[in-house]
Amino acid sequence: MRNSLLPCLSLLAAALATPAAAQQPKQPPLVIGSQGSFFVGGRDVRSDTLSVLSAYSASGTVTAEQMYVRYQVPVDAKRPPVVLIHGCCLTGKTWETTPDGRMGWDEYFVRKGYPTYVIDQVSRGRSAANPTLINSVRLGKTPPSETPPVFAVGHEAAWVIFRFGPDYPKVFEGMQFPLAAQGEFWKQMVADWIGTLPTPNPTVPALSELAIKLDGAILISHSQSGIYPFQAAALSTRGIAGIVSIEPGACPAATGDLTPYLQIPTLVLWGDYVDQSSRWAPRLKLCREFAAAVAKAGGKTELVVLPEIGIKGNSHMLMQDKNSLQLADWLTAWLDKHVAPKGP
Amino acid sequence: MRNSLLPCLSLLAAALATPAAAQQPKQPPLVIGSQGSFFVGGRDVRSDTLSVLSAYSASGTVTAEQMYVRYQVPVDAKRPPVVLIHGCCLTGKTWETTPDGRMGWDEYFVRKGYPTYVIDQVSRGRSAANPTLINSVRLGKTPPSETPPVFAVGHEAAWVIFRFGPDYPKVFEGMQFPLAAQGEFWKQMVADWIGTLPTPNPTVPALSELAIKLDGAILISHSQSGIYPFQAAALSTRGIAGIVSIEPGACPAATGDLTPYLQIPTLVLWGDYVDQSSRWAPRLKLCREFAAAVAKAGGKTELVVLPEIGIKGNSHMLMQDKNSLQLADWLTAWLDKHVAPKGP
């Protein structure tokens, strides 16, 4: 078996030229003051269906609903830090090296002087999901109809949701997403347990705790998590120094209580082709109504649709598009103006 | 609701003093030549049970069995790099900041000059698990008895498995694990999908591919993954510059084909209290037999039990124990002697 696999492994190795090494332009060294990871939140859960395997006991206590956070603080860091919050079916990998091997926003913000905190949403990635209900179904204690609705999004559906084109596999003209590395993007997608979580999603209070712990943070969210910084602000505005909501799945209702949002510098940012998407066009419309309502009430929410300011071709995954660092430059300029971060 | 939650959030914030910030001794800046993340492996899977939610199509293609890798390369890096491979019910977080907020081996090896690659095993953490069988049960297409055996390990069982003490919550005398931060360790534990994966575990060929891609790597594995570097070497010894197997769940059979292991400098490393554990004592015995058989055949496998060389009190999670950096120093000295890494 060993020998028969060798040619195969060689071919695989040749095909797998490290994207990160092969395509990333040479950068000056990155000088980090501190880095590490920790969790926010979490609660203990007792269960008798932890396992159906004889090697591991069925009964016991697990910790669930904690949020994983990985951070890097540059030397001579600015304040406040940024928190990068990924969207549906993805993890913190969203913000790291792009599918075609370019630098992600996680590193670029550090190079711009921002302490940068990348999270995995509760029950996703390195933030544990709770499998006890799955085992309960297997053991006949829970009916199959109550099996937890853990879902994956297929390439074909994701193509349209992420607005790479109008239908799979058609491509919007001028598309900035690095489609030549599409397969690397599909590898980023993970099963999504959000339908198994209580309301509000435990990621929301965890973000609030994190912002307070950091004594001020700019919450940068995306898509499914777009609403989370607003929901965190509704819990407490404490620690929320700014909100950047990139293509949110929802904005707060224009007719709701806008008080939590009036004092927080907020940007709601959209890419291109939105009016060609039956999923996203109504969401943009509702966000426009929210931004207008906040403005009318004297707040600081700005909504920007990139093609309306001359930046064209961006997909829903704009932090990975070919012009992603140009967008990061634009975004940090916006933050400089509206949140006014302080130097060291 | 906002106001009523404020005191609660304040208390939480106070209780959650960042372990990383609070307890990590001041270090000189970390100077990184390059960092990033990518995936190795993965295959496309077609399914009609991706989702039971109306918002996401049930039919489509997902990519599964890819392995997430995060890396940091110091300036003036040594060769070969190290690959850190976590064990059961855990993720790459194993090697990052310890539960009590000290520097993890991921950063320490970089500071020692090693390019360091931290993986999440296939179907764990940021490496996607495939939920299609779960949805198939919910939809009545698969009987509940075939629900995938995704398991979690409870605190009580983990206490004994990780050898914090003989029985929960008794503690072994002289224990080096930072038990005051026990709750932070429980947050690292995730559901384990290993029972749903084909044989060999796709992490094994992915590690082989990674070692070849890196043109040589030292594979440092732990517990459940302890056997993986050996299994990768049995596929191909190409790229495997050294093996460090920390408290492996299994060693290769002493009576099997030892050829793949004869030329690879190998360390099998064990902590303390092993002879007091009915789970681990027989495994150590079998590993001793393996190491003796390799030595007899002229190979380079060394087995070290830390208390036998005067280092006492180490748990199964020795990379997180209070003396973890002392152990890393000992390990890099071993690597200097036996793998002989080259300076830049």
Side-chain angles (χ1 to χ4, degrees), chain A residues 2 16 30 32 35 37 61 68 71-72 93 96-97 120 126 135 138 147 150 155-156 209 234, chain B residues 2 16 20 30 32 35 37 61 66 68 72 93 96-97 120 126 135 138 147 150 155-156 209 234:
Chain A
R2 193 158 70 243
L16 277 163
L30 178 63
I32 303 287
Q35 65 171 214
S37 62
T61 311
Y68 171 78
Y71 69 92
Q72 296 199 97
K93 167 63 183 158
E96 298 177 355
T97 312
D120 283 351
R126 291 175 171 180
N135 291 316
R138 171 136 169 177
T147 307
V150 183
H155 303 170
E156 301 82 354
E209 286 177 39
Chain B
R2 195 155 69 242
L16 277 163
L30 178 63
I32 303 287
Q35 66 171 213
S37 61
T61 311
Q66 61 274 21
Y68 171 78
Q72 296 199 97
K93 166 63 182 159
E96 298 177 354
T97 313
D120 283 351
R126 292 175 172 181
N135 290 316
R138 171 134 170 178
T147 306
V150 182
H155 303 171
E156 300 83 354
E209 286 177 36

Side-chain angles (χ1 to χ4, degrees), chain A residues 1-3 5-6 9-10 12-13 16-21 24 27-42 44 46 50-53 55-57 59-63 66 68 70-72 75 88-89 91-93 96-97 106-107 111 118-120 124-129 131 134-135 137-138 144-157 161 183-184 186-191 193 195 200 205 208-209 212-213 224 233-238 257 259-260 279, chain B residues 1-3 5-6 9-10 12-13 16-21 24 26-42 44 46 50-53 55-57 59-63 66 68 70-72 75 88-89 91-93 96-97 106-107 111 118-120 124-129 131 134-135 137-138 144-157 161 183-184 186-191 193 195 200 205 208-209 212-213 224 233-236 238 257 259-260 279:
Chain A
M1 172 175 164
R2 193 158 70 243
N3 291 335
L5 270 176
L6 268 174
L9 285 170
S10 302
L12 277 168
L16 277 163
T18 314
Q24 192 151 306
Q27 296 285 338
L30 178 63
V31 184
I32 303 287
S34 65
Q35 65 171 214
S37 62
F38 58 91
F39 293 91
V40 178
D44 286 354
R46 170 87 202 171
L50 293 178
S51 167
V52 296
L53 304 175
Y56 300 101
S57 171
S59 295
T61 311
V62 291
T63 306
Q66 61 274 22
Y68 171 78
R70 192 170 197 284
Y71 69 92
Q72 296 199 97
V75 170
C88 165
C89 331
T91 70
K93 167 63 183 158
E96 298 177 355
T97 312
D106 71 324
E107 180 178 341
R111 288 185 179 271
V118 178
I119 70 127
D120 283 351
R124 203 99 48 88
R126 291 175 171 180
S127 303
I134 296 173
N135 291 316
V137 171
R138 171 136 169 177
S145 59
E146 291 174 29
T147 307
V150 183
F151 66 93
V153 178
H155 303 170
E156 301 82 354
I161 294 172
E184 296 304 309
W186 298 142
K187 294 178 187 178
Q188 297 187 14
M189 298 190 71
V190 299
W193 294 63
S208 177
E209 286 177 39
I212 292 168
K213 176 157 53 181
Q224 177 191 71
L235 290 176
S236 167
T237 56
R238 198 173 146 212
D257 176 11
T259 321
R279 179 182 289 257
Chain B
M1 171 177 164
R2 195 155 69 242
N3 289 337
L5 271 175
L6 269 173
L9 285 169
S10 302
L12 277 168
L16 277 163
T18 313
Q24 193 152 306
K26 188 72 183 169
Q27 296 286 338
L30 178 63
V31 184
I32 303 287
S34 64
Q35 66 171 213
S37 61
F38 58 92
F39 293 91
V40 178
D44 285 355
R46 169 88 204 170
L50 293 177
S51 166
V52 296
L53 304 176
Y56 300 101
S57 171
S59 295
T61 311
V62 291
T63 305
Q66 61 274 21
Y68 171 78
R70 191 171 199 286
Y71 69 93
Q72 296 199 97
V75 170
C88 165
C89 331
T91 70
K93 166 63 182 159
E96 298 177 354
T97 313
D106 71 321
E107 179 178 340
R111 288 184 178 272
V118 178
I119 69 127
D120 283 351
R124 206 97 52 86
R126 292 175 172 181
S127 303
I134 296 172
N135 290 316
V137 171
R138 171 134 170 178
S145 59
E146 291 173 30
T147 306
V150 182
F151 66 93
V153 179
H155 303 171
E156 300 83 354
I161 294 172
E184 295 305 308
W186 298 142
K187 294 179 187 178
Q188 296 187 14
M189 298 191 70
V190 300
W193 293 64
S208 177
E209 286 177 36
I212 293 169
K213 174 155 62 178
Q224 177 191 70
L235 290 177
S236 167
R238 198 172 145 214
D257 176 12
T259 321
R279 178 181 289 257

Side-chain angles (χ1 to χ4, degrees), chain B residues 206-243:
Chain B
L207 289 171
S208 177
E209 286 177 36
L210 180 60
I212 293 169
K213 174 155 62 178
L214 296 176
D215 196 24
I218 301 164
L219 302 180
I220 303 182
S221 61
H222 178 235
S223 195
Q224 177 191 70
S225 76
I227 189 77
Y228 294 178
F230 298 106
Q231 293 175 329
L235 290 177
S236 167
T237 56
R238 198 172 145 214
I240 304 182
I243 293 175

Side-chain angles (χ1 to χ4, degrees), chain A residues 194-223:
Chain A
I194 199 168
T196 71
L197 294 173
T199 302
N201 187 309
T203 304
V204 172
L207 288 171
S208 177
E209 286 177 39
L210 180 60
I212 292 168
K213 176 157 53 181
L214 296 175
D215 197 23
I218 301 164
L219 302 181
I220 303 182
S221 61
H222 177 235
S223 194

